[in-house]
Amino acid sequence: MYGQNTYKFTKVMHQENPEARNKLSKGHAMDLTTSVFEKLPDIFINEVEDKTNYIKIIGRENNKRVYKYIKRKYVIDHENLNKYKVLLPKSNGSGAIGEVLSTPLIGEPLIGEPLIGHTQTFISIGAFDKKIEAENVMKYIKTKFARTLLGVLKITQDNPPAKWKYVPLQDFTSNSDIDWTKSIHEIDEQLYKKYNLSEEEIEFIETKVKEMD
């Protein structure tokens, strides 16, 4: 898992845009903060014709999730930039046990395509070469099992990687002991069996936690 500070500006960005530093908050000159789209509209642009030298960054603008383009040389290389990953809001819900991991503002988690980074509005999961593995992660975080264990530590809106400590890591490849081709409900049943949950524990999860499509 990668936190909100995963992606940062390069020194080149500041060298070519010396006015940028004064527009950013003190101490955050290198950070792709939540409000960076509004603060640096000349650097983050809506459309480009030649996308070869640009990457897409997902963030928030005017209370909506949007993508913006930025020059590739302006963002430091990161190990999951060119990989498939799942993106989740860094702040989500209220901290209720097993809550649905989506909000009216951000929408559902989405599978990031290669060459997509994110602002501090998001965290990301995985650095996969195969899209199917990211899709399997998506299914896993939608299970009642995973969201219940997330709720052990996530007791507020805050949703950083540290809150996922008790959510067991799975094998998301075709070699997994979980059949990821199944429905989310059926995956939950596999997880209950894998971790030897009691009937009482299963009933608690099934009755207290809402389904997530």
Side-chain angles (χ1 to χ4, degrees), residues 9 13 32 36-37 40-59 61 66-75 113-117 119:
F9 291 122
M13 188 283 284
L32 275 66
V36 74
F37 288 170
L40 300 177
D42 296 331
I43 295 173
F44 290 96
I45 53 181
N46 295 326
E47 293 292 339
V48 292
E49 293 185 6
D50 179 14
K51 299 179 182 179
T52 305
N53 297 314
Y54 286 81
I55 61 173
K56 290 170 70 175
I57 299 291
I58 185 171
E61 184 179 54
V66 296
Y67 289 101
K68 297 277 188 176
Y69 289 95
I70 185 173
K71 289 182 180 179
R72 179 70 186 83
K73 63 181 179 178
Y74 286 175
V75 178
E113 300 173 6
L115 292 179
I116 290 182
T119 68

Side-chain angles (χ1 to χ4, degrees), residues 12-46:
V12 173
M13 188 283 284
H14 283 290
Q15 289 169 356
E16 295 188 358
N17 302 274
E19 75 288 349
R21 189 176 296 272
N22 294 329
K23 296 179 181 179
L24 298 170
S25 302
K26 186 177 181 180
H28 294 278
M30 308 306 287
D31 297 333
L32 275 66
T33 59
T34 298
S35 59
V36 74
F37 288 170
E38 288 92 347
K39 291 184 176 181
L40 300 177
D42 296 331
I43 295 173
F44 290 96
I45 53 181
N46 295 326

